[in-house]
Amino acid sequence: MSSVSEVNFLFDSTSQLLPFWIAIAKTEHELELAAKARQLAYGRHLPSLGEMLAKPDADDAHPDSAVLLAFSKLDGSCIGTVRVQIANQQQLRLEESYVLPKALSTGRVAEVSRLAIPARSNGLTLRLMLIKAAYWYIRAKLVDRCFLCVRYPVDRQYRRFELDDVLQPNEFVEMKHIGMIPHRILWFDVFHIEARWLLSANPLHSVYFASSHPDLLQNIQMRTLQLETQQQVRSIG
């Protein structure tokens, strides 16, 4: 059995379909759907921020960014969104408010932001899958480190991810691109977090790495693993 075939076989019994799919926004209309989801989600608790996010911004259409949208299989409606920015042509948005240490900013870096789920009934599964799609997107793009800015008390929801603080634990910075609201800056190593979760027996390891979800960005997890396997075979040969 070839190495690529082994990857396919590994996921045959762990491939899980979802009641939604996640895709990259391609049109102005889809970016408007993302903005509407942000307005509704953030507006529940922070009305002024919700209004600020009601329209697509310049970053949404920038080549460094990918806006991910979740669509319900029931009716095709947009039920969630998240944005990924990879620092190619411009610095990460968070660095408008805080300059990252050189040790963390070298190599390829990304920021995950604008996570929004407008309906209260769409809970943990959708949140986890939006973040999983963002993770495999940046892994496919060979990103070294990824950053997230999270406000209180939402930061408590990210404890399960075992992320590191850029500053001191529980230290917050006012973020210009998020309405000057104080946020913690969290980060993780893209290619090391899998081993970290395995060693700590984090239940997210099964969800993010042992299980395959073909509905995420046209099966990006499988495609990325196949490419990584091919590259490893070539390097050995």
Side-chain angles (χ1 to χ4, degrees), residues 91-231:
Q91 66 180 9
L92 299 180
R93 272 289 166 254
L94 70 87
E95 292 206 86
E96 295 178 355
S97 305
Y98 178 82
V99 178
L100 293 170
K102 187 174 181 180
L104 295 181
S105 60
T106 55
R108 288 176 64 79
V109 294
E111 180 179 356
V112 174
S113 64
R114 300 292 197 256
L115 177 64
I117 300 173
R120 295 177 184 272
S121 59
N122 296 311
L124 181 59
T125 298
L126 180 53
R127 178 181 295 271
L128 291 178
M129 290 300 104
L130 282 166
I131 297 174
K132 178 175 179 176
Y135 169 81
W136 282 99
Y137 177 83
I138 61 174
R139 178 159 164 172
K141 298 293 185 180
L142 302 179
V143 168
D144 298 296
R145 284 169 297 281
C146 183
F147 298 84
L148 301 88
C149 299
V150 292
R151 63 177 175 83
Y152 177 87
V154 180
D155 60 314
R156 298 175 182 176
Q157 299 177 12
Y158 287 85
R159 291 174 181 171
R160 61 169 61 92
F161 289 94
E162 299 182 37
L163 307 180
D164 294 309
D165 278 278
V166 172
L167 303 169
Q168 294 299 314
N170 299 316
E171 186 174 352
F172 292 74
V173 175
E174 292 182 345
M175 289 293 164
K176 294 180 180 179
H177 68 305
I178 322 177
M180 295 305 294
I181 297 171
H183 281 64
R184 283 174 69 182
I185 308 175
L186 305 175
W187 75 279
F188 65 92
D189 185 298
V190 174
F191 287 91
H192 289 170
I193 197 166
E194 180 176 358
R196 169 182 280 194
W197 287 357
L198 182 62
L199 290 172
S200 67
N202 190 318
L204 288 180
H205 183 276
S206 174
V207 177
Y208 276 59
F209 300 107
S211 299
S212 173
H213 297 93
D215 293 309
L216 306 185
L217 302 180
Q218 298 180 323
N219 210 358
I220 191 172
Q221 180 180 0
M222 176 73 75
R223 292 187 288 108
T224 302
L225 288 173
Q226 288 176 339
L227 182 59
E228 290 177 357
T229 301
Q230 291 168 353
Q231 292 170 340

Side-chain angles (χ1 to χ4, degrees), residues 47-81:
S48 59
L49 179 59
E51 287 305 311
M52 187 185 82
L53 302 178
K55 296 291 183 181
D57 60 31
D59 286 335
D60 287 328
H62 193 279
D64 282 4
S65 298
V67 176
L68 312 187
L69 296 175
F71 294 96
S72 169
K73 289 183 179 179
L74 181 63
D75 59 10
S77 62
C78 177
I79 58 174
T81 182

